[in-house]
């Protein structure tokens, strides 16, 4: 989608600090990190968010989680990290291209705010 920020990052039209990419996903550093590791894992395919995803997207959603686990392993933060989808404005979703937050590298409290 031409006017989607994260589609533009996928296409390289907007710069981002990429940490991983493959044929289905791109992962890059969050511009406003909330922890020492704060990486966003996104599908190359435009999906607005989790509630807009359908059953054909099930494998892709699971794959994003596995990419997050791979990055966490590479960074040595497996003592404790979190993968999060913010779903809808009430949960803080501000970019409407599906993105999985990988947050770690510090103690994480529960429940999140
Ligand atoms: P949300 O609030 O939608 O769950 O997460 C959006 C995330 O995207 C936020 O954590 C925000 O800091 C990040 N973000 C917004 N714009 C940009 C950008 O242009 N580049 C990068 N790397 N991250 C961004
Ligand atoms: Zn998009």
């Amino acid at each position: 989608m031409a006017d989607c920020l994260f589609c533009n990052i996928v296409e390289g039209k907007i710069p981002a600090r990429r940490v991983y990419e493959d044929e289905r996903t791109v992962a890059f550093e969050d511009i406003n990190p909330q922890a020492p590791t704060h990486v966003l894992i996104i599908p190359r395919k435009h999906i607005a968010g989790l509630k807009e995803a359908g059953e054909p997207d099930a494998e892709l959603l699971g794959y994003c989680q596995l990419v997050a686990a791979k990055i966490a392993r590479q960074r040595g933060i497996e003592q404790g990290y979190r993968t999060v989808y913010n779903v809808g404005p009430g949960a803080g979703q501000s970019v409407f291209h599906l993105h999985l937050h990988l947050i770690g590298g510090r103690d994480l409290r529960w429940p999140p705010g």
Side-chain angles (χ1 to χ4, degrees), residues 1 4-7 46-47 96-97:
M1 271 177 68
C4 170
L5 173 64
F6 286 178
C7 281
H46 180 88
I47 303 169
F96 293 89
H97 179 129

Side-chain angles (χ1 to χ4, degrees), residues 1 7 10 23-26 42-48 52-54 56-58 60 97-98:
M1 271 177 68
C7 281
V10 167
E23 66 283 356
R24 282 181 280 181
T25 65
V26 176
I42 71 173
R44 289 182 183 273
K45 174 187 172 185
H46 180 88
I47 303 169
E52 288 81 15
D57 302 314
L60 184 56
H97 179 129
L98 187 85

Side-chain angles (χ1 to χ4, degrees), residues 12 24 26 39 65-67 75-81 96 103-105 107:
R24 282 181 280 181
V26 176
V39 170
Q65 296 281 358
L66 290 178
V67 170
R75 292 191 170 206
I77 59 164
E78 289 185 295
Q79 191 275 332
Y81 63 86
F96 293 89
I103 296 168
D107 286 337

